[in-house]
């Protein structure tokens, strides 16, 4: 079969040129449309992020008042704590000697008496040297045991015990006792 093209080549060339122009225009429209859609998506995303940022900033401003209040309260607590610490530092040694005397005599038997009490600071404790007289060996042993086992005393050392005759005919026991007193 023989084909004869009766359409002039200029006409086909014009149709092909129009088709090419239509394809280029369509491609440009597609590219421009894609750019417009991408730009619109980015713009809406930016607006959404900005609105969330504004909402978060408002929320932060509302919470900032609470944070400031908490900081003020913490500053007040710190000030009160410094005040209490200074009072405790002042009071720490203030009642140490009265507490020592009260603790010493609280469970001292009536047959014992102190002839001297010497104190000196030993770190955060009070070193106490006692000269003790007693009319009863049992009461002296009881009191020494009480010192060794009670809470505020530590490092109880007992010197030599001397026995002498008293004016009333009884025996008198003399000793030196050293303790460290921590206070209550």
């Amino acid at each position: 079969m023989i084909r004869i093209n009766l359409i002039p080549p200029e006409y086909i060339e014009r149709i092909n040129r129009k088709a090419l122009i239509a394809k280029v225009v369509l491609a440009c429209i597609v590219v421009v449309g894609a750019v417009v859609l991408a730009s619109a998506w980015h713009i809406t995303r930016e607006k959404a992020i900005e609105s969330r940022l504004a909402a978060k900033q408002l929320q932060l401003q509302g919470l900032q008042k609470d944070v400031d209040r908490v900081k003020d309260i913490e500053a007040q607590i710190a000030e009160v704590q410094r005040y209490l610490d200074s009072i405790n530092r002042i009071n720490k040694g203030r009642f140490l000697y009265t507490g020592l005397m009260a603790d010493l005599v609280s469970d001292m038997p009536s047959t014992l008496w102190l002839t001297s009490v010497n104190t000196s600071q030993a770190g955060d404790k009070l070193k106490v040297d006692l000269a003790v007289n007693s009319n009863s060996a049992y009461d002296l042993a009881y009191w020494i045991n009480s010192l060794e086992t009670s809470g505020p005393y530590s490092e109880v050392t007992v010197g030599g015990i001397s026995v002498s005759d008293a004016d009333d005919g009884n025996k008198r026991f003399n000793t030196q006792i050293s303790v460290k007193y921590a206070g209550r």
Side-chain angles (χ1 to χ4, degrees):
M1 172 162 140
I2 298 178
R3 278 179 93 184
I4 298 175
N5 194 356
L6 297 176
I7 302 175
E10 297 89 27
Y11 184 74
I12 293 177
E13 193 175 299
R14 230 183 310 148
I15 291 175
N16 285 340
R17 195 177 316 129
K18 286 182 183 180
L20 181 66
I21 291 173
K23 288 179 186 177
V24 168
V25 168
L26 181 64
C28 288
I29 290 173
V30 168
V31 168
V32 168
V35 168
V36 167
L37 284 176
S39 296
W41 180 73
H42 281 293
I43 290 171
T44 56
R45 194 171 131 214
E46 177 203 5
K47 296 294 181 187
I49 289 173
E50 283 179 358
S51 67
R52 277 196 333 224
L53 176 64
K56 294 291 183 184
Q57 284 177 340
L58 284 175
Q59 186 179 9
L60 177 65
Q61 287 175 354
L63 293 176
Q64 189 63 38
K65 294 174 187 173
D66 293 339
V67 169
D68 293 340
R69 270 191 31 224
V70 167
K71 286 181 181 178
D72 289 342
I73 290 170
E74 286 175 348
Q76 290 173 353
I77 289 171
E79 183 178 337
V80 169
Q81 190 61 44
R82 283 192 304 272
Y83 178 73
L84 291 175
D85 290 343
S86 65
I87 289 174
N88 287 337
R89 281 193 305 273
I90 291 170
N91 283 336
K92 184 174 184 176
R94 185 175 181 184
F95 299 110
L96 190 61
Y97 293 101
T98 56
L100 168 68
M101 295 308 291
D103 288 339
L104 277 177
V105 298
S106 66
D107 58 350
M108 183 184 288
S110 62
T111 59
L112 265 71
W113 66 96
L114 303 173
T115 56
S116 71
V117 177
N118 296 318
T119 60
S120 61
Q121 284 295 122
D124 59 344
K125 295 183 179 181
L126 193 62
K127 184 177 184 305
V128 183
D129 296 316
L130 306 166
V132 181
N133 287 338
S134 175
N135 288 334
S136 167
Y138 174 77
D139 287 344
L140 181 60
Y142 166 78
W143 194 61
I144 292 170
N145 182 49
S146 174
L147 290 175
E148 290 175 337
T149 58
S150 69
Y153 303 105
S154 62
E155 301 179 32
V156 178
T157 56
V158 180
I161 298 175
S162 63
V163 181
S164 62
D165 289 326
D167 294 336
D168 59 0
N170 291 329
K171 300 280 184 191
R172 178 166 294 150
F173 302 91
N174 302 325
T175 188
Q176 293 289 329
I177 299 175
S178 294
V179 297
K180 286 197 176 172
Y181 179 72
R184 293 194 185 259

